[in-house]
Amino acid sequence: MTTQGTAAGLVDWRTVERLTALIPAGPSASRSARASSVAVLRRSAQEAPAWVARITGLNRAAQQVADTTRVSVVDRAGLVRASTRALRGLMEQVPAPRASEAVQLVGAAEVAGAMSLLATRLLGQVVPTAPSRPHGHGTGAATSRTAPVSDMTAGGGGEVGSPHLLLVAPNVLAVRRQMDLDMLDLPAWVCLHEMTHAVQLAAAPWLGPYLSDSMRMVIGAVVEAAYGGAGSAGSAGSADGAGDAGPQVRGRRPQRGRAVRIAARAGRGRVLEGLMNVTDRSEVASLAAALTFLEGHAEVVLDDVHPNRMPSVHRLRAVLSRSRAADGGIGPGPGLGSLLLHRLMGLEAKEAQYADGAAFVRSVVTRIGHEGLNAVWTDPELLPTPAELARPDVWVRRVS
């Protein structure tokens, strides 16, 4: 699919590839250490769905995940390839004006910067059904078997219709060494966290399309505000650098000066600041609330892990909580879209996502248990609103 006339056309993807090739490969390890890391992650991924089922009661969804979710144990380059492919597919569905070469290079630098953060910090990530698919495709039932877990250099595989779990072996190994964590418990923790997101997608077939649609809205709103919306292929407007096209101007090429300012905002986590109208901000708030809930749900699943199943769980919980606050840690959320949203909103929002979402879910589970909470997977209208995240009792009354 051509990128011209879409948000993907605002990025020079060959430059992204060249820049991300410079990302460090990660810690050095012997062949036997690498093989052991892959084997432990593979086993942990296989065991995690049943564990999620026992904690949440989402037995059917967990079985679907065990049967259909694609799992790849990847190196950093494999994570970047899969994530770049997913982001580009999402952006190809958002109309945008044609961009100058200068703007595309600015876009490439911003995307490469985001991918560098992702590649060096994430331990695992769930990517929902490929966003280039029509909305009618499900998020977990399109495959009939589990794709084989790859080695550390693979970039994925399997069929398009199922969620894809990426486990980043070099990053798991690096965290284990740096923080002196248990070689069995850390992979189990990471897989349980990420498989919870996969179970969420399976329990709510509407969730993957909802997240993709919402992220298209965010990207479209940023393009509209920053560049004045999509123009026809022949309406180039002013020459490069000849003025600064404002949000009200349509059909003009994005200008370099404005693109640089947008990129500078993105580097500070402020690209959404001042760009969106009230409606757009409300929709972004709803998406952020949904992601906050999903992340909080995964955190509460981990609350139910006890030392008889994971001997070092208390130390893991404390160490990874500190690491997440400082470096990003595990996550965030089920899909590349959530990473992009946090890139736009600011990294400080990520830690609040864990804390606020977990507090909401803990309060709901205390009141009505996981069985009552599981009503949320039946309809997107039952996702908690931003206001309800702070008032779990209001959400409980609404769904009861």
Side-chain angles (χ1 to χ4, degrees):
M1 178 179 180
T2 181
T3 61
Q4 290 299 323
T6 73
L10 303 175
V11 177
D12 183 333
W13 295 98
R14 290 184 179 179
T15 298
V16 171
E17 185 177 355
R18 289 194 292 270
L19 291 174
T20 55
L22 302 176
I23 296 172
S28 60
S30 67
R31 178 173 297 184
S32 61
R34 293 197 302 270
S36 176
S37 295
V38 172
V40 172
L41 284 167
R42 176 188 292 118
R43 186 179 68 192
S44 298
Q46 292 171 342
E47 294 174 350
W51 208 341
V52 177
R54 285 193 293 270
I55 294 171
T56 65
L58 295 171
N59 299 315
R60 181 178 299 178
Q63 186 60 54
Q64 180 176 315
V65 165
D67 292 341
T68 68
T69 296
R70 297 178 294 145
V71 179
S72 295
V73 182
V74 299
D75 58 7
R76 289 176 174 176
L79 175 66
V80 168
R81 284 194 299 272
S83 300
T84 302
R85 186 165 55 245
L87 176 59
R88 184 171 180 172
L90 193 69
M91 295 176 71
E92 283 175 347
Q93 299 176 58
V94 178
R98 290 178 178 270
S100 68
E101 182 178 348
V103 168
Q104 290 177 328
L105 290 174
V106 171
E110 176 57 25
V111 170
M115 292 298 163
S116 178
L117 285 174
L118 180 150
T120 56
R121 294 182 178 184
L122 290 190
L123 307 184
Q125 182 71 54
V126 173
V127 180
T129 303
S132 57
R133 287 289 189 181
H135 297 182
H137 285 259
T139 56
T143 60
S144 59
R145 57 184 176 85
T146 303
V149 178
S150 67
D151 62 22
M152 292 175 68
T153 62
E159 300 175 36
V160 173
S162 61
H164 192 182
L165 172 58
L166 305 174
L167 299 169
V168 192
N171 292 353
V172 174
L173 181 61
V175 169
R176 181 173 68 79
R177 288 178 174 177
Q178 291 166 7
M179 301 180 182
D180 192 27
L181 298 173
D182 188 88
M183 66 177 299
L184 299 180
D185 288 355
L186 176 61
W189 178 277
V190 173
C191 289
L192 183 58
H193 179 109
E194 299 303 333
M195 278 298 190
T196 299
H197 291 314
V199 170
Q200 292 166 351
L201 290 165
W206 48 266
L207 182 57
Y210 169 85
L211 295 174
S212 295
D213 289 347
S214 297
M215 283 313 306
R216 280 191 289 269
M217 177 276 300
V218 171
I219 294 171
V222 171
V223 169
E224 171 72 19
Y227 302 132
S232 63
S235 57
S238 60
D240 296 346
D244 186 10
Q248 75 279 9
V249 180
R250 295 185 178 270
R252 298 200 174 194
R253 283 191 178 185
Q255 302 299 303
R256 181 179 180 179
R258 186 165 183 80
V260 169
R261 289 194 291 277
I262 296 299
R265 276 182 169 178
R268 299 192 299 270
R270 293 173 53 206
V271 80
L272 296 184
E273 185 179 288
L275 287 183
M276 293 185 168
N277 59 37
V278 173
T279 300
D280 289 334
R281 285 197 295 270
S282 175
E283 292 178 349
V284 170
S286 295
L287 172 59
L291 294 172
T292 297
F293 164 72
L294 295 172
E295 197 56 56
H297 181 248
E299 284 291 288
V300 173
V301 167
L302 291 169
D303 284 350
D304 272 344
V305 178
H306 301 292
N308 62 335
R309 293 295 308 273
M310 192 180 290
S312 64
V313 64
H314 295 312
R315 183 167 186 271
L316 266 173
R317 187 174 287 120
V319 169
L320 292 179
S321 178
R322 291 195 298 269
S323 171
R324 185 175 61 227
D327 300 321
I330 304 173
L336 181 68
S338 58
L339 180 82
L340 178 60
L341 185 65
H342 287 295
R343 178 74 172 173
L344 297 173
M345 295 180 70
L347 293 177
E348 70 278 0
K350 189 187 303 180
E351 183 60 20
Q353 180 190 35
Y354 284 88
D356 296 347
F360 171 86
V361 176
R362 289 183 186 116
S363 179
V364 171
V365 170
T366 298
R367 287 175 166 87
I368 58 177
H370 279 284
E371 183 178 359
L373 177 69
N374 288 343
V376 74
W377 312 117
T378 62
D379 193 309
E381 293 298 320
L382 295 182
L383 284 169
T385 66
E388 287 172 338
L389 283 176
R391 290 290 307 276
D393 57 309
V394 175
W395 183 86
V396 170
R397 286 197 298 271
R398 179 163 70 90
V399 302
S400 296

